PDB file of all heavy atoms in Angstrom:
ATOM      1  N   PHE A  13       5.667  10.367 -13.642  1.00 83.00           N
ATOM      2  CA  PHE A  13       6.166   9.972 -12.319  1.00 83.00           C
ATOM      3  C   PHE A  13       5.453  10.599 -11.245  1.00 83.00           C
ATOM      4  O   PHE A  13       5.245   9.926 -10.279  1.00 83.00           O
ATOM      5  CB  PHE A  13       7.731  10.210 -12.355  1.00 83.00           C
ATOM      6  CG  PHE A  13       8.434   9.529 -11.128  1.00 83.00           C
ATOM      7  CD1 PHE A  13       8.585   8.144 -11.225  1.00 83.00           C
ATOM      8  CD2 PHE A  13       8.721  10.257 -10.053  1.00 83.00           C
ATOM      9  CE1 PHE A  13       9.186   7.531 -10.174  1.00 83.00           C
ATOM     10  CE2 PHE A  13       9.294   9.717  -9.016  1.00 83.00           C
ATOM     11  CZ  PHE A  13       9.518   8.303  -9.007  1.00 83.00           C
ATOM     12  N   ILE A  14       5.228  11.910 -11.322  1.00 87.00           N
ATOM     13  CA  ILE A  14       4.563  12.604 -10.176  1.00 87.00           C
ATOM     14  C   ILE A  14       3.129  11.961 -10.153  1.00 87.00           C
ATOM     15  O   ILE A  14       2.653  11.828  -9.001  1.00 87.00           O
ATOM     16  CB  ILE A  14       4.438  14.126 -10.587  1.00 87.00           C
ATOM     17  CG1 ILE A  14       5.860  14.733 -10.385  1.00 87.00           C
ATOM     18  CG2 ILE A  14       3.471  14.845  -9.584  1.00 87.00           C
ATOM     19  CD1 ILE A  14       6.053  16.150 -10.798  1.00 87.00           C
ATOM     20  N   ALA A  15       2.492  11.740 -11.257  1.00 88.00           N
ATOM     21  CA  ALA A  15       1.096  11.207 -11.187  1.00 88.00           C
ATOM     22  C   ALA A  15       1.176   9.816 -10.429  1.00 88.00           C
ATOM     23  O   ALA A  15       0.250   9.415  -9.673  1.00 88.00           O
ATOM     24  CB  ALA A  15       0.613  11.110 -12.469  1.00 88.00           C
ATOM     25  N   LEU A  16       2.116   9.001 -10.818  1.00 88.00           N
ATOM     26  CA  LEU A  16       2.249   7.609 -10.309  1.00 88.00           C
ATOM     27  C   LEU A  16       2.596   7.737  -8.799  1.00 88.00           C
ATOM     28  O   LEU A  16       2.074   6.901  -7.989  1.00 88.00           O
ATOM     29  CB  LEU A  16       3.449   6.868 -10.871  1.00 88.00           C
ATOM     30  CG  LEU A  16       3.293   6.204 -12.242  1.00 88.00           C
ATOM     31  CD1 LEU A  16       4.545   5.724 -12.811  1.00 88.00           C
ATOM     32  CD2 LEU A  16       2.142   5.210 -12.188  1.00 88.00           C
ATOM     33  N   ASP A  17       3.358   8.758  -8.293  1.00 88.00           N
ATOM     34  CA  ASP A  17       3.624   8.912  -6.971  1.00 88.00           C
ATOM     35  C   ASP A  17       2.411   9.314  -6.116  1.00 88.00           C
ATOM     36  O   ASP A  17       2.204   8.889  -4.978  1.00 88.00           O
ATOM     37  CB  ASP A  17       4.739   9.894  -6.817  1.00 88.00           C
ATOM     38  CG  ASP A  17       5.326   9.938  -5.350  1.00 88.00           C
ATOM     39  OD1 ASP A  17       5.536   8.805  -4.783  1.00 88.00           O
ATOM     40  OD2 ASP A  17       5.582  11.001  -4.766  1.00 88.00           O
ATOM     41  N   ASP A  18       1.637  10.325  -6.739  1.00 92.00           N
ATOM     42  CA  ASP A  18       0.339  10.684  -6.103  1.00 92.00           C
ATOM     43  C   ASP A  18      -0.625   9.445  -5.964  1.00 92.00           C
ATOM     44  O   ASP A  18      -1.200   9.291  -4.946  1.00 92.00           O
ATOM     45  CB  ASP A  18      -0.361  11.723  -6.921  1.00 92.00           C
ATOM     46  CG  ASP A  18       0.389  12.986  -6.859  1.00 92.00           C
ATOM     47  OD1 ASP A  18       1.287  13.196  -5.915  1.00 92.00           O
ATOM     48  OD2 ASP A  18       0.136  13.806  -7.668  1.00 92.00           O
ATOM     49  N   PHE A  19      -0.663   8.638  -6.976  1.00 90.00           N
ATOM     50  CA  PHE A  19      -1.552   7.381  -7.027  1.00 90.00           C
ATOM     51  C   PHE A  19      -1.081   6.449  -5.901  1.00 90.00           C
ATOM     52  O   PHE A  19      -1.827   5.921  -5.165  1.00 90.00           O
ATOM     53  CB  PHE A  19      -1.480   6.771  -8.277  1.00 90.00           C
ATOM     54  CG  PHE A  19      -2.233   5.415  -8.314  1.00 90.00           C
ATOM     55  CD1 PHE A  19      -3.537   5.360  -8.303  1.00 90.00           C
ATOM     56  CD2 PHE A  19      -1.514   4.271  -8.239  1.00 90.00           C
ATOM     57  CE1 PHE A  19      -4.167   4.034  -8.259  1.00 90.00           C
ATOM     58  CE2 PHE A  19      -2.084   3.057  -8.235  1.00 90.00           C
ATOM     59  CZ  PHE A  19      -3.477   2.922  -8.303  1.00 90.00           C
ATOM     60  N   ARG A  20       0.298   6.252  -5.771  1.00 88.00           N
ATOM     61  CA  ARG A  20       0.877   5.408  -4.775  1.00 88.00           C
ATOM     62  C   ARG A  20       0.479   5.754  -3.425  1.00 88.00           C
ATOM     63  O   ARG A  20       0.206   4.989  -2.515  1.00 88.00           O
ATOM     64  CB  ARG A  20       2.380   5.307  -5.024  1.00 88.00           C
ATOM     65  CG  ARG A  20       3.051   4.326  -4.011  1.00 88.00           C
ATOM     66  CD  ARG A  20       4.598   4.437  -4.018  1.00 88.00           C
ATOM     67  NE  ARG A  20       5.023   5.760  -3.724  1.00 88.00           N
ATOM     68  CZ  ARG A  20       5.176   6.240  -2.547  1.00 88.00           C
ATOM     69  NH1 ARG A  20       4.965   5.396  -1.436  1.00 88.00           N
ATOM     70  NH2 ARG A  20       5.579   7.412  -2.222  1.00 88.00           N
ATOM     71  N   LYS A  21       0.578   7.084  -3.141  1.00 91.00           N
ATOM     72  CA  LYS A  21       0.273   7.607  -1.822  1.00 91.00           C
ATOM     73  C   LYS A  21      -1.190   7.431  -1.500  1.00 91.00           C
ATOM     74  O   LYS A  21      -1.577   6.999  -0.311  1.00 91.00           O
ATOM     75  CB  LYS A  21       0.469   9.219  -1.759  1.00 91.00           C
ATOM     76  CG  LYS A  21       1.953   9.568  -1.744  1.00 91.00           C
ATOM     77  CD  LYS A  21       2.163  11.037  -1.783  1.00 91.00           C
ATOM     78  CE  LYS A  21       3.660  11.285  -1.916  1.00 91.00           C
ATOM     79  NZ  LYS A  21       3.881  12.785  -2.019  1.00 91.00           N
ATOM     80  N   GLN A  22      -2.080   7.542  -2.377  1.00 93.00           N
ATOM     81  CA  GLN A  22      -3.451   7.385  -2.129  1.00 93.00           C
ATOM     82  C   GLN A  22      -3.808   5.841  -1.975  1.00 93.00           C
ATOM     83  O   GLN A  22      -4.572   5.509  -1.119  1.00 93.00           O
ATOM     84  CB  GLN A  22      -4.344   7.863  -3.334  1.00 93.00           C
ATOM     85  CG  GLN A  22      -4.374   9.366  -3.398  1.00 93.00           C
ATOM     86  CD  GLN A  22      -5.242   9.938  -4.589  1.00 93.00           C
ATOM     87  OE1 GLN A  22      -5.610   9.086  -5.389  1.00 93.00           O
ATOM     88  NE2 GLN A  22      -5.362  11.167  -4.674  1.00 93.00           N
ATOM     89  N   LEU A  23      -3.096   5.011  -2.843  1.00 87.00           N
ATOM     90  CA  LEU A  23      -3.199   3.575  -2.581  1.00 87.00           C
ATOM     91  C   LEU A  23      -2.814   3.164  -1.222  1.00 87.00           C
ATOM     92  O   LEU A  23      -3.408   2.268  -0.658  1.00 87.00           O
ATOM     93  CB  LEU A  23      -2.471   2.808  -3.693  1.00 87.00           C
ATOM     94  CG  LEU A  23      -2.600   1.375  -3.699  1.00 87.00           C
ATOM     95  CD1 LEU A  23      -4.048   0.870  -4.015  1.00 87.00           C
ATOM     96  CD2 LEU A  23      -1.752   0.780  -4.758  1.00 87.00           C
ATOM     97  N   ASN A  24      -1.560   3.538  -0.778  1.00 86.00           N
ATOM     98  CA  ASN A  24      -1.174   3.220   0.458  1.00 86.00           C
ATOM     99  C   ASN A  24      -2.072   3.665   1.587  1.00 86.00           C
ATOM    100  O   ASN A  24      -2.218   2.939   2.652  1.00 86.00           O
ATOM    101  CB  ASN A  24       0.228   3.813   0.744  1.00 86.00           C
ATOM    102  CG  ASN A  24       1.368   2.972   0.020  1.00 86.00           C
ATOM    103  OD1 ASN A  24       1.073   1.904  -0.398  1.00 86.00           O
ATOM    104  ND2 ASN A  24       2.526   3.604  -0.215  1.00 86.00           N
ATOM    105  N   ALA A  25      -2.685   4.855   1.539  1.00 91.00           N
ATOM    106  CA  ALA A  25      -3.620   5.367   2.453  1.00 91.00           C
ATOM    107  C   ALA A  25      -4.768   4.517   2.550  1.00 91.00           C
ATOM    108  O   ALA A  25      -5.323   4.083   3.590  1.00 91.00           O
ATOM    109  CB  ALA A  25      -4.006   6.786   2.234  1.00 91.00           C
ATOM    110  N   TRP A  26      -5.350   3.991   1.349  1.00 89.00           N
ATOM    111  CA  TRP A  26      -6.399   3.200   1.303  1.00 89.00           C
ATOM    112  C   TRP A  26      -6.080   1.707   1.896  1.00 89.00           C
ATOM    113  O   TRP A  26      -6.941   1.156   2.588  1.00 89.00           O
ATOM    114  CB  TRP A  26      -6.816   2.989  -0.203  1.00 89.00           C
ATOM    115  CG  TRP A  26      -8.063   2.043  -0.283  1.00 89.00           C
ATOM    116  CD1 TRP A  26      -9.425   2.292   0.073  1.00 89.00           C
ATOM    117  CD2 TRP A  26      -8.000   0.682  -0.792  1.00 89.00           C
ATOM    118  NE1 TRP A  26     -10.142   1.194  -0.223  1.00 89.00           N
ATOM    119  CE2 TRP A  26      -9.293   0.266  -0.793  1.00 89.00           C
ATOM    120  CE3 TRP A  26      -6.946  -0.147  -1.324  1.00 89.00           C
ATOM    121  CZ2 TRP A  26      -9.523  -1.021  -1.175  1.00 89.00           C
ATOM    122  CZ3 TRP A  26      -7.278  -1.347  -1.641  1.00 89.00           C
ATOM    123  CH2 TRP A  26      -8.561  -1.871  -1.620  1.00 89.00           C
ATOM    124  N   LYS A  27      -4.856   1.206   1.565  1.00 84.00           N
ATOM    125  CA  LYS A  27      -4.500  -0.102   2.147  1.00 84.00           C
ATOM    126  C   LYS A  27      -4.341  -0.016   3.734  1.00 84.00           C
ATOM    127  O   LYS A  27      -4.635  -1.021   4.300  1.00 84.00           O
ATOM    128  CB  LYS A  27      -3.127  -0.512   1.549  1.00 84.00           C
ATOM    129  CG  LYS A  27      -3.288  -1.013   0.029  1.00 84.00           C
ATOM    130  CD  LYS A  27      -1.952  -1.070  -0.589  1.00 84.00           C
ATOM    131  CE  LYS A  27      -1.235  -2.288  -0.367  1.00 84.00           C
ATOM    132  NZ  LYS A  27       0.002  -2.484  -1.170  1.00 84.00           N
ATOM    133  N   GLN A  28      -3.807   1.075   4.189  1.00 85.00           N
ATOM    134  CA  GLN A  28      -3.802   1.190   5.683  1.00 85.00           C
ATOM    135  C   GLN A  28      -5.078   1.304   6.283  1.00 85.00           C
ATOM    136  O   GLN A  28      -5.257   0.978   7.459  1.00 85.00           O
ATOM    137  CB  GLN A  28      -2.907   2.393   6.005  1.00 85.00           C
ATOM    138  CG  GLN A  28      -1.369   2.112   5.696  1.00 85.00           C
ATOM    139  CD  GLN A  28      -0.554   3.382   6.051  1.00 85.00           C
ATOM    140  OE1 GLN A  28      -1.080   4.451   6.472  1.00 85.00           O
ATOM    141  NE2 GLN A  28       0.729   3.260   5.866  1.00 85.00           N
ATOM    142  N   SER A  29      -6.057   1.803   5.599  1.00 88.00           N
ATOM    143  CA  SER A  29      -7.482   1.910   6.119  1.00 88.00           C
ATOM    144  C   SER A  29      -8.234   0.627   6.188  1.00 88.00           C
ATOM    145  O   SER A  29      -9.193   0.428   6.866  1.00 88.00           O
ATOM    146  CB  SER A  29      -8.252   2.895   5.382  1.00 88.00           C
ATOM    147  OG  SER A  29      -8.704   2.409   4.098  1.00 88.00           O
ATOM    148  N   GLN A  30      -7.627  -0.421   5.485  1.00 84.00           N
ATOM    149  CA  GLN A  30      -8.271  -1.769   5.456  1.00 84.00           C
ATOM    150  C   GLN A  30      -7.150  -2.764   5.868  1.00 84.00           C
ATOM    151  O   GLN A  30      -6.745  -3.606   5.054  1.00 84.00           O
ATOM    152  CB  GLN A  30      -8.768  -2.029   4.151  1.00 84.00           C
ATOM    153  CG  GLN A  30      -9.841  -0.969   3.797  1.00 84.00           C
ATOM    154  CD  GLN A  30     -10.452  -1.358   2.417  1.00 84.00           C
ATOM    155  OE1 GLN A  30     -10.199  -2.436   1.842  1.00 84.00           O
ATOM    156  NE2 GLN A  30     -11.412  -0.462   2.071  1.00 84.00           N
ATOM    157  N   PRO A  31      -6.679  -2.840   7.112  1.00 78.00           N
ATOM    158  CA  PRO A  31      -5.619  -3.710   7.492  1.00 78.00           C
ATOM    159  C   PRO A  31      -5.902  -5.219   7.424  1.00 78.00           C
ATOM    160  O   PRO A  31      -5.123  -6.125   7.140  1.00 78.00           O
ATOM    161  CB  PRO A  31      -5.288  -3.387   8.861  1.00 78.00           C
ATOM    162  CG  PRO A  31      -6.477  -2.631   9.423  1.00 78.00           C
ATOM    163  CD  PRO A  31      -7.100  -2.110   8.255  1.00 78.00           C
ATOM    164  N   GLU A  32      -7.274  -5.627   7.568  1.00 81.00           N
ATOM    165  CA  GLU A  32      -7.684  -7.059   7.540  1.00 81.00           C
ATOM    166  C   GLU A  32      -7.413  -7.580   6.035  1.00 81.00           C
ATOM    167  O   GLU A  32      -7.236  -8.809   5.840  1.00 81.00           O
ATOM    168  CB  GLU A  32      -8.999  -7.242   8.063  1.00 81.00           C
ATOM    169  CG  GLU A  32     -10.119  -6.564   7.121  1.00 81.00           C
ATOM    170  CD  GLU A  32     -10.337  -5.042   7.357  1.00 81.00           C
ATOM    171  OE1 GLU A  32      -9.797  -4.509   8.202  1.00 81.00           O
ATOM    172  OE2 GLU A  32     -11.215  -4.522   6.536  1.00 81.00           O
ATOM    173  N   ARG A  33      -7.541  -6.773   5.072  1.00 81.00           N
ATOM    174  CA  ARG A  33      -7.422  -7.194   3.625  1.00 81.00           C
ATOM    175  C   ARG A  33      -5.972  -7.300   3.266  1.00 81.00           C
ATOM    176  O   ARG A  33      -5.573  -7.991   2.323  1.00 81.00           O
ATOM    177  CB  ARG A  33      -8.127  -6.318   2.705  1.00 81.00           C
ATOM    178  CG  ARG A  33      -9.599  -6.325   2.883  1.00 81.00           C
ATOM    179  CD  ARG A  33     -10.391  -5.377   2.021  1.00 81.00           C
ATOM    180  NE  ARG A  33     -10.350  -6.066   0.608  1.00 81.00           N
ATOM    181  CZ  ARG A  33     -10.831  -5.473  -0.443  1.00 81.00           C
ATOM    182  NH1 ARG A  33     -11.446  -4.208  -0.263  1.00 81.00           N
ATOM    183  NH2 ARG A  33     -10.782  -6.019  -1.653  1.00 81.00           N
ATOM    184  N   PHE A  34      -5.066  -6.497   3.906  1.00 74.00           N
ATOM    185  CA  PHE A  34      -3.714  -6.375   3.538  1.00 74.00           C
ATOM    186  C   PHE A  34      -2.743  -6.506   4.718  1.00 74.00           C
ATOM    187  O   PHE A  34      -2.261  -5.564   5.247  1.00 74.00           O
ATOM    188  CB  PHE A  34      -3.310  -5.119   2.861  1.00 74.00           C
ATOM    189  CG  PHE A  34      -4.193  -4.796   1.539  1.00 74.00           C
ATOM    190  CD1 PHE A  34      -5.320  -3.964   1.642  1.00 74.00           C
ATOM    191  CD2 PHE A  34      -3.997  -5.385   0.427  1.00 74.00           C
ATOM    192  CE1 PHE A  34      -6.146  -3.788   0.528  1.00 74.00           C
ATOM    193  CE2 PHE A  34      -4.655  -5.296  -0.768  1.00 74.00           C
ATOM    194  CZ  PHE A  34      -5.698  -4.416  -0.615  1.00 74.00           C
ATOM    195  N   PRO A  35      -2.590  -7.779   5.139  1.00 76.00           N
ATOM    196  CA  PRO A  35      -1.813  -8.063   6.403  1.00 76.00           C
ATOM    197  C   PRO A  35      -0.318  -7.615   6.051  1.00 76.00           C
ATOM    198  O   PRO A  35       0.223  -7.726   4.978  1.00 76.00           O
ATOM    199  CB  PRO A  35      -1.847  -9.569   6.638  1.00 76.00           C
ATOM    200  CG  PRO A  35      -2.191 -10.025   5.302  1.00 76.00           C
ATOM    201  CD  PRO A  35      -2.974  -9.073   4.634  1.00 76.00           C
ATOM    202  N   VAL A  36       0.268  -7.246   7.244  1.00 71.00           N
ATOM    203  CA  VAL A  36       1.744  -6.790   7.138  1.00 71.00           C
ATOM    204  C   VAL A  36       2.591  -8.053   7.125  1.00 71.00           C
ATOM    205  O   VAL A  36       2.422  -8.887   8.110  1.00 71.00           O
ATOM    206  CB  VAL A  36       1.997  -5.814   8.274  1.00 71.00           C
ATOM    207  CG1 VAL A  36       3.612  -5.474   8.256  1.00 71.00           C
ATOM    208  CG2 VAL A  36       1.267  -4.637   8.184  1.00 71.00           C
ATOM    209  N   ARG A  37       3.547  -8.200   6.238  1.00 73.00           N
ATOM    210  CA  ARG A  37       4.418  -9.281   6.207  1.00 73.00           C
ATOM    211  C   ARG A  37       5.813  -8.784   6.222  1.00 73.00           C
ATOM    212  O   ARG A  37       6.468  -8.509   5.243  1.00 73.00           O
ATOM    213  CB  ARG A  37       4.200 -10.046   4.956  1.00 73.00           C
ATOM    214  CG  ARG A  37       2.843 -10.746   4.824  1.00 73.00           C
ATOM    215  CD  ARG A  37       2.579 -11.502   3.633  1.00 73.00           C
ATOM    216  NE  ARG A  37       1.344 -12.089   3.600  1.00 73.00           N
ATOM    217  CZ  ARG A  37       0.557 -12.107   2.600  1.00 73.00           C
ATOM    218  NH1 ARG A  37       0.862 -11.620   1.435  1.00 73.00           N
ATOM    219  NH2 ARG A  37      -0.697 -12.504   2.669  1.00 73.00           N
ATOM    220  N   PRO A  38       6.463  -8.559   7.422  1.00 73.00           N
ATOM    221  CA  PRO A  38       7.736  -7.978   7.586  1.00 73.00           C
ATOM    222  C   PRO A  38       8.909  -8.809   7.022  1.00 73.00           C
ATOM    223  O   PRO A  38       9.965  -8.338   6.614  1.00 73.00           O
ATOM    224  CB  PRO A  38       7.981  -7.809   9.053  1.00 73.00           C
ATOM    225  CG  PRO A  38       7.047  -8.745   9.670  1.00 73.00           C
ATOM    226  CD  PRO A  38       5.870  -8.955   8.760  1.00 73.00           C
ATOM    227  N   TRP A  39       8.670 -10.136   6.827  1.00 76.00           N
ATOM    228  CA  TRP A  39       9.707 -10.921   6.270  1.00 76.00           C
ATOM    229  C   TRP A  39       9.851 -10.842   4.725  1.00 76.00           C
ATOM    230  O   TRP A  39      10.768 -11.308   4.072  1.00 76.00           O
ATOM    231  CB  TRP A  39       9.477 -12.430   6.678  1.00 76.00           C
ATOM    232  CG  TRP A  39       8.175 -12.963   6.131  1.00 76.00           C
ATOM    233  CD1 TRP A  39       7.929 -13.513   4.898  1.00 76.00           C
ATOM    234  CD2 TRP A  39       6.939 -12.933   6.718  1.00 76.00           C
ATOM    235  NE1 TRP A  39       6.720 -14.012   4.642  1.00 76.00           N
ATOM    236  CE2 TRP A  39       5.941 -13.624   5.813  1.00 76.00           C
ATOM    237  CE3 TRP A  39       6.445 -12.490   7.957  1.00 76.00           C
ATOM    238  CZ2 TRP A  39       4.713 -13.771   6.057  1.00 76.00           C
ATOM    239  CZ3 TRP A  39       5.165 -12.759   8.256  1.00 76.00           C
ATOM    240  CH2 TRP A  39       4.275 -13.344   7.404  1.00 76.00           C
ATOM    241  N   GLU A  40       8.874 -10.234   4.095  1.00 73.00           N
ATOM    242  CA  GLU A  40       8.850 -10.111   2.542  1.00 73.00           C
ATOM    243  C   GLU A  40       9.373  -8.615   2.196  1.00 73.00           C
ATOM    244  O   GLU A  40       8.475  -7.680   2.084  1.00 73.00           O
ATOM    245  CB  GLU A  40       7.452 -10.344   2.023  1.00 73.00           C
ATOM    246  CG  GLU A  40       7.048 -11.806   2.179  1.00 73.00           C
ATOM    247  CD  GLU A  40       5.652 -11.955   1.545  1.00 73.00           C
ATOM    248  OE1 GLU A  40       5.003 -10.944   1.061  1.00 73.00           O
ATOM    249  OE2 GLU A  40       5.191 -13.083   1.668  1.00 73.00           O
ATOM    250  N   LYS A  41      10.588  -8.481   2.125  1.00 75.00           N
ATOM    251  CA  LYS A  41      11.241  -7.106   1.753  1.00 75.00           C
ATOM    252  C   LYS A  41      11.461  -7.138   0.186  1.00 75.00           C
ATOM    253  O   LYS A  41      12.196  -7.958  -0.265  1.00 75.00           O
ATOM    254  CB  LYS A  41      12.504  -6.839   2.537  1.00 75.00           C
ATOM    255  CG  LYS A  41      12.259  -6.823   4.044  1.00 75.00           C
ATOM    256  CD  LYS A  41      11.925  -5.477   4.429  1.00 75.00           C
ATOM    257  CE  LYS A  41      11.795  -5.478   6.054  1.00 75.00           C
ATOM    258  NZ  LYS A  41      11.279  -4.287   6.494  1.00 75.00           N
ATOM    259  N   PRO A  42      10.726  -6.347  -0.452  1.00 75.00           N
ATOM    260  CA  PRO A  42      11.006  -6.298  -1.996  1.00 75.00           C
ATOM    261  C   PRO A  42      12.266  -5.644  -2.327  1.00 75.00           C
ATOM    262  O   PRO A  42      12.794  -4.870  -1.577  1.00 75.00           O
ATOM    263  CB  PRO A  42       9.785  -5.528  -2.531  1.00 75.00           C
ATOM    264  CG  PRO A  42       9.417  -4.625  -1.312  1.00 75.00           C
ATOM    265  CD  PRO A  42       9.697  -5.451  -0.091  1.00 75.00           C
TER     266      PRO A  42
END
């Protein structure tokens, strides 16, 4: 679980560095 959490943090940082590839969709709440 700790390894997954570290991976998720790195993935979110990478996704935020490329906003054109991952647009924010506020109406889609999982």
Side-chain angles (χ1 to χ4, degrees):
F13 190 76
I14 290 170
L16 284 174
D17 194 41
D18 293 342
F19 173 75
R20 183 192 58 84
K21 288 177 185 176
Q22 290 178 353
L23 181 66
N24 284 343
W26 178 76
K27 285 166 81 175
Q28 288 178 354
S29 70
Q30 301 184 4
E32 67 278 352
R33 293 181 73 183
F34 302 100
V36 177
R37 296 180 179 138
W39 62 88
E40 294 179 0
K41 299 277 183 182

